[in-house]
Amino acid sequence: MGITSGDDIDIIWERRPPSNLRNIGWFRSLMEDEEETGPEIKDPRANRVASVGRDIVRSARQYIREKLDFAMKKKQEELILLAKKENREISKAEAYKAISEDEEVQKWTESFERIEGYTHDGIKNWQFILLHTHIPNAFVSEMLPQRVFVTTGLFDHFVKSDDELAMILGHELSHLVLGHGKERLLVDFMLRGLEIAILMLDPTEGLLSLGVAGFLASSREALTANTSRETENEADELGCTFAAMACYDTKSGSQVFHRMHEFDVKHGHEKRDLMSSHPASKERYEFVKNLSQEVNPEYYSVCGKLAKKLRGRALSLTHEMPR
């Protein structure tokens, strides 16, 4: 990405970083003359990333908790019905085993762990990192847990408001919550295994393999791309929900995808083929725009109460101002 030193990175953390990180060369330079609040932030956009990022992480945690509670209650109801049907009592150990091994419960438990981490600090461990590079990008990875990465190029080219940033970060957090990184690795692993198995069974001792290898490789690429397009749509949908739950205007925020479409048209990238891992930008914008008509802050009562409180506060300040 063109990152060459610590000077190209702004990091905002929810709590003071571990002292052992001072042993890392480039990190040590960030920590020099540090105040208790952390290193000096060179670009104010880092604060925007952290502020919006915190909101989206909290929304994701709330969403996962609701899904996990629903899955557990659903399994409990199934066990109650089973006990009545078989006219017997279900022990605590049996109930615990059945609930903990339930597919939906496991799915949302894993999602919760990816957001909360594996320490008692939970979401306080999240870091929000602004990378100074012209390449527009934002990502969250299981390989680097509890970190949100955003480049300055994303602001320069696409993101013009916090509502738009919330849609982007919501999308990236959704990939993590839904375990898409794990799914992509599993699909690729299975397809590669099938490719190897077919080649091993080649009765022509390699002659057929020359032609089949290319076909299998291209088929794997197409199938993987199709899976990626599906996960991108899922992430757009859930990301819109996260942004709305955090009281960001998803209708306004969807404009970032229109800007991406305009960028693609300008640079001749608007068409997508079978090998494309993302939906066509116009199709994606229209999908998110239509979705935002229903999934927006107006759906969540807490956002309405917050807006009313802010309006009331603004009016009181107006009356308090000297004439």
Side-chain angles (χ1 to χ4, degrees), residues 307-320:
K308 186 176 181 180
K309 184 181 292 187
L310 290 174
R311 282 196 299 269
R313 180 56 180 161
L315 287 172
S316 65
L317 289 174
T318 302
H319 292 310
E320 292 171 7

Side-chain angles (χ1 to χ4, degrees), residues 62-63 66-67 240-251 291-305:
Q62 178 186 342
Y63 180 88
E66 291 174 357
K67 289 291 185 180
C240 189
T241 298
F242 288 166
M245 288 177 67
C247 302
Y248 287 97
D249 186 347
T250 54
K251 297 177 184 177
L291 183 65
S292 68
Q293 301 303 310
E294 297 182 3
V295 184
N296 55 63
E298 298 169 11
Y299 180 80
Y300 297 95
S301 59
V302 64
C303 297
K305 293 176 182 177

Side-chain angles (χ1 to χ4, degrees), residues 61 64-65 68 108-117:
R61 180 177 63 175
I64 293 168
R65 281 176 171 172
L68 181 57
W108 294 112
T109 299
E110 290 174 2
S111 295
F112 190 76
E113 290 172 346
R114 286 192 285 267
I115 289 293
E116 283 280 333

Side-chain angles (χ1 to χ4, degrees), residues 77-257:
E77 291 172 357
E78 290 178 1
L79 291 173
I80 292 172
L81 291 175
L82 178 65
K84 290 181 178 179
K85 181 180 179 181
E86 298 182 355
N87 193 27
R88 67 182 182 89
E89 289 188 2
I90 294 179
S91 67
K92 290 183 178 179
E94 183 182 356
Y96 174 80
K97 185 175 185 296
I99 292 173
S100 62
E101 292 180 355
D102 181 75
E103 186 176 343
E104 278 294 298
V105 171
Q106 287 183 343
K107 172 186 174 181
W108 294 112
T109 299
E110 290 174 2
S111 295
F112 190 76
E113 290 172 346
R114 286 192 285 267
I115 289 293
E116 283 280 333
Y118 299 91
T119 70
H120 69 279
D121 290 315
I123 62 172
K124 291 182 180 180
N125 280 325
W126 277 86
Q127 297 178 11
F128 306 94
I129 303 166
L130 182 68
L131 304 174
H132 295 257
T133 172
H134 68 281
I135 300 172
N137 201 3
F139 58 95
V140 177
S141 171
E142 289 188 58
M143 300 291 288
L144 296 168
Q146 294 189 301
R147 288 170 176 82
V148 173
F149 295 88
V150 178
T151 69
T152 53
L154 189 71
F155 288 100
D156 296 337
H157 293 284
F158 302 119
V159 173
K160 306 302 179 186
S161 70
D162 285 354
D163 295 320
E164 295 177 355
L165 181 59
M167 294 291 279
I168 295 295
L169 297 187
H171 172 93
E172 297 304 327
L173 259 294
S174 295
H175 280 309
L176 180 70
V177 168
L178 296 172
H180 286 162
K182 180 180 177 181
E183 285 182 8
R184 277 194 289 265
L185 287 174
L186 180 60
V187 169
D188 188 65
F189 177 77
M190 291 175 62
L191 292 174
R192 286 182 184 275
L194 177 62
E195 182 179 333
I196 293 171
I198 293 175
L199 293 177
M200 288 177 64
L201 295 173
D202 179 8
T204 64
E205 298 183 353
L207 294 177
L208 181 62
S209 298
L210 294 175
V212 172
F215 171 75
L216 290 176
S218 61
S219 298
R220 171 170 48 80
E221 187 176 349
L223 288 170
T224 303
N226 181 63
T227 302
S228 296
R229 287 194 297 273
E230 291 177 359
T231 59
E232 290 299 319
N233 284 332
E234 290 175 0
D236 281 339
E237 185 171 356
L238 184 55
C240 189
T241 298
F242 288 166
M245 288 177 67
C247 302
Y248 287 97
D249 186 347
T250 54
K251 297 177 184 177
S252 173
S254 65
Q255 290 301 311
V256 69
F257 296 103

Side-chain angles (χ1 to χ4, degrees), residues 263-276:
F263 182 88
D264 278 353
V265 171
K266 182 179 179 180
H267 294 84
H269 303 314
E270 72 273 20
K271 293 183 178 180
R272 292 288 191 271
D273 56 26
L274 288 175
M275 301 302 178
S276 300

